[in-house]
Amino acid sequence: MSKKIAGPEIERLVQLLARLPGLGPRSARKAALGLLKKRQELLVPLSDALKIAVEKIVECPTCGNLDTVSPCTICQDPRRDPTLIVVVEEVGDLWALERAGVVNARYHVLGGHLSPLDGIGPENLNIGSLRLRAAASDVGEILLALNATVEGQSTAHYVMDQLVGLDVTVSRLAQGVPIGGELDYLDEGTLAAAIKSRRRV
Amino acid sequence: MEWSDEAIVLSVRSHGETAAVVDLFTRSHGRHSGLVHGGRSRKARPTLQMGNHVDATWKARLAEHLGHMSVELRRGYAASAMDDPAALAGLTSMCALARLLPERDPHPALYEVTLFVLGFLDDPTVWPALMVRWELSLLQELGFGLDLSACAATGVNDQLIYVSPKSGRAVSESAGEPYKDRMLALPRFLTSARDRHATRDDVAAGFALTGFFLEQRVLAPKGEGLPESRARILTHIDR
């Protein structure tokens, strides 16, 4: 029978850390040890930050983003283009676009994509609220920035159907050769998409 | 245990951080699952899209194990269907319905038909009718094949315009007349008049026919319904 090497509190900490994305039991143990070794510099501030996150971070009722204020900072920002709404699957996608700083618009987070296998249907996504937002008079364009996967594009087509009849332009991200991509190494699907969406120079 | 075979990707589910469990429809080994290490990587994702034609190698210590798979792309049907909502709905519906096949039971004839339909997904004048035929083949493989060759009542093979919802057999116009309200329509392109171009109404009647038997005989006993994407095919064909 194996001997216990730590109290239940430490075991619990390791178990919870192991449930985080990117961490397994071994790396969770390492992380727990690191936190316990640097109690004042890491563990206490982290625990305070987590407590504040639990208390203050909420989902924006307008766009589905996560923030400490409601509506979120992006929805409240008057410098953003109110005529353009960028639709993304997850908050992580919104963060990726914000990191790149390539679009100065407002967002709408669907909360996933249609996936019959996982039991995710239209009623599980924030599509109804998108339609309401798109119907507002100041919105002129809906940009569907969804993943170039079968599920992502099926969701995009579904969203397009829901926006039929509204006075908005619906656009989607281009698909093709990535920056730094060499044609020799690209899959045929990407090459076909690149050829299909070629443009005059 | 090890085999290599060609296959069509039916579904991909994440497993942990980096791996994926894929469900393939193989030519010689039927529907078969396996774990793909690195299946969620940037390199593997374009290959592991629903509907893609791939070469797969499966390895396991024992035959009943899930086993490990390595997959290489042959032809990316998913990418070419992504722009067309009807074709994408068709591809999704076909992959969802193919998952009704029992695991590890070879269905080479249906595999050939599946590959044939996928090859025509870029031609909207052809694939909807082919997909109806594919659903008929699926019913056949599942043991619920329809007999559309001759009238169930008279044995003649002309003027077949109905299908009996009870027997799944074709019925001629004269024999079916008294029961026509209860009969399912048999579109001409599914009878011997194969040269006839299938109109939108023919395709709709075809989908209604196969949908009825799929629902009643295959899905209802399992407590399931037809895939939502299947309903979208006709909506998009209309436009």
Side-chain angles (χ1 to χ4, degrees):
Chain A
M1 208 173 124
S2 64
K3 286 181 188 168
K4 278 198 169 184
I5 54 165
E9 294 80 7
I10 295 178
E11 281 300 319
R12 174 98 178 122
L13 177 64
V14 172
Q15 276 173 11
L16 288 173
L17 285 172
R19 286 166 68 177
L20 293 174
L23 292 186
R26 198 176 278 261
S27 43
R29 201 163 288 129
K30 264 188 195 170
L33 264 179
L35 286 168
L36 292 168
K37 268 187 190 168
K38 296 185 177 175
R39 185 178 291 247
Q40 290 307 319
E41 303 97 306
L42 267 179
L43 186 60
V44 173
L46 179 68
S47 125
D48 291 345
L50 286 173
K51 201 175 170 198
I52 292 169
V54 169
E55 284 166 4
K56 292 196 171 174
I57 295 178
V58 287
E59 192 175 288
C60 174
T62 311
C63 71
N65 186 18
L66 296 173
D67 205 340
T68 50
V69 288
S70 177
C72 71
T73 314
I74 291 175
C75 287
Q76 286 187 37
D77 188 350
R79 290 166 300 174
R80 287 183 182 263
D81 181 1
T83 64
L84 176 62
I85 294 177
V86 182
V87 180
V88 291
E89 285 183 23
E90 301 284 0
V91 174
D93 301 330
L94 184 158
W95 289 354
L97 286 167
E98 281 298 295
R99 267 202 312 273
V102 287
V103 61
N104 183 38
R106 294 190 174 147
Y107 293 91
H108 193 88
V109 182
L110 292 179
H113 54 239
L114 295 175
S115 174
L117 261 186
D118 300 316
I120 301 171
E123 65 283 358
N124 303 110
L125 303 178
N126 296 328
I127 295 175
S129 54
L130 173 65
R131 199 182 143 80
L132 288 177
R133 288 183 76 191
S137 58
D138 54 346
V139 176
E141 183 178 354
I142 303 288
L143 167 57
L144 300 173
L146 304 180
N147 293 335
T149 59
V150 170
E151 292 91 346
Q153 291 309 300
S154 296
T155 311
H157 292 311
Y158 182 83
V159 172
M160 271 188 248
D161 289 348
Q162 299 306 303
L163 298 176
V164 167
L166 298 179
D167 190 21
V168 286
T169 305
V170 182
S171 54
R172 56 160 228 189
L173 293 182
Q175 290 165 359
V177 183
I179 302 299
E182 295 175 37
L183 296 190
D184 195 18
Y185 291 97
L186 291 181
D187 64 284
E188 63 168 71
T190 307
L191 284 172
I195 295 289
K196 216 183 269 180
S197 45
R198 67 187 182 275
R199 64 181 180 190
R200 190 185 289 267
V201 289
Chain B
M1 300 290 300
E2 181 175 347
W3 54 251
S4 293
D5 200 354
E6 63 173 277
I8 295 158
V9 180
L10 297 183
S11 74
V12 182
R13 302 189 79 157
S14 300
H15 183 81
E17 291 287 310
T18 55
V21 175
V22 296
D23 191 7
L24 302 181
F25 182 20
T26 65
R27 182 190 288 272
S28 312
H29 299 83
R31 194 160 77 79
H32 211 296
S33 299
L35 182 79
V36 178
H37 286 298
R40 295 184 66 195
S41 67
R42 202 178 289 180
K43 191 183 163 204
R45 276 191 184 186
T47 302
L48 295 179
Q49 291 295 313
M50 221 183 275
N52 277 352
H53 186 198
V54 295
D55 279 316
T57 302
W58 178 82
K59 282 181 194 171
R61 194 167 61 80
L62 297 172
E64 58 267 32
H65 284 179
L66 173 67
H68 296 230
M69 254 177 198
S70 59
V71 178
E72 271 183 46
L73 187 68
R74 268 198 179 197
R75 190 159 172 200
Y77 291 111
S80 48
M82 275 184 195
D83 275 349
D84 179 355
L88 193 60
L91 180 136
T92 315
S93 166
M94 200 156 71
C95 289
L97 288 172
R99 297 188 80 240
L100 293 170
L101 291 167
E103 279 196 79
R104 304 187 179 196
D105 186 24
H107 295 275
L110 185 67
Y111 179 84
E112 289 299 333
V113 181
T114 311
L115 216 49
F116 186 73
V117 179
L118 286 172
F120 278 96
L121 274 183
D122 55 354
D123 188 347
T125 61
V126 176
W127 73 258
L130 287 178
M131 198 153 289
V132 174
R133 288 189 177 283
W134 179 85
E135 289 189 349
L136 281 176
S137 305
L138 176 68
L139 279 165
Q140 179 84 39
E141 297 286 332
L142 291 171
F144 301 104
L146 309 186
D147 180 0
L148 308 178
S149 58
C151 175
T154 62
V156 298
N157 64 357
D158 64 336
Q159 294 301 312
L160 298 175
I161 62 163
Y162 301 118
V163 174
S164 161
K166 277 191 178 172
S167 66
R169 295 181 65 187
V171 178
S172 66
E173 189 174 7
S174 55
E177 184 63 23
Y179 318 100
K180 66 177 183 186
D181 296 341
R182 281 176 277 165
M183 291 286 179
L184 296 162
L186 172 61
R188 281 280 305 272
F189 78 98
L190 293 180
T191 60
S192 51
R194 292 188 178 204
D195 53 330
R196 190 170 180 269
H197 173 69
T199 63
R200 191 262 168 209
D201 288 343
D202 288 336
V203 170
F207 275 123
L209 178 70
T210 51
F212 176 84
F213 287 102
L214 280 169
E215 217 164 16
Q216 294 290 313
R217 301 202 172 168
V218 186
L219 295 161
K222 294 177 165 202
E224 294 174 17
L226 287 166
E228 189 266 335
S229 51
R230 190 177 179 277
R232 289 210 304 272
I233 298 175
L234 280 175
T235 316
H236 288 290
I237 288 175
D238 279 342
R239 291 181 191 160

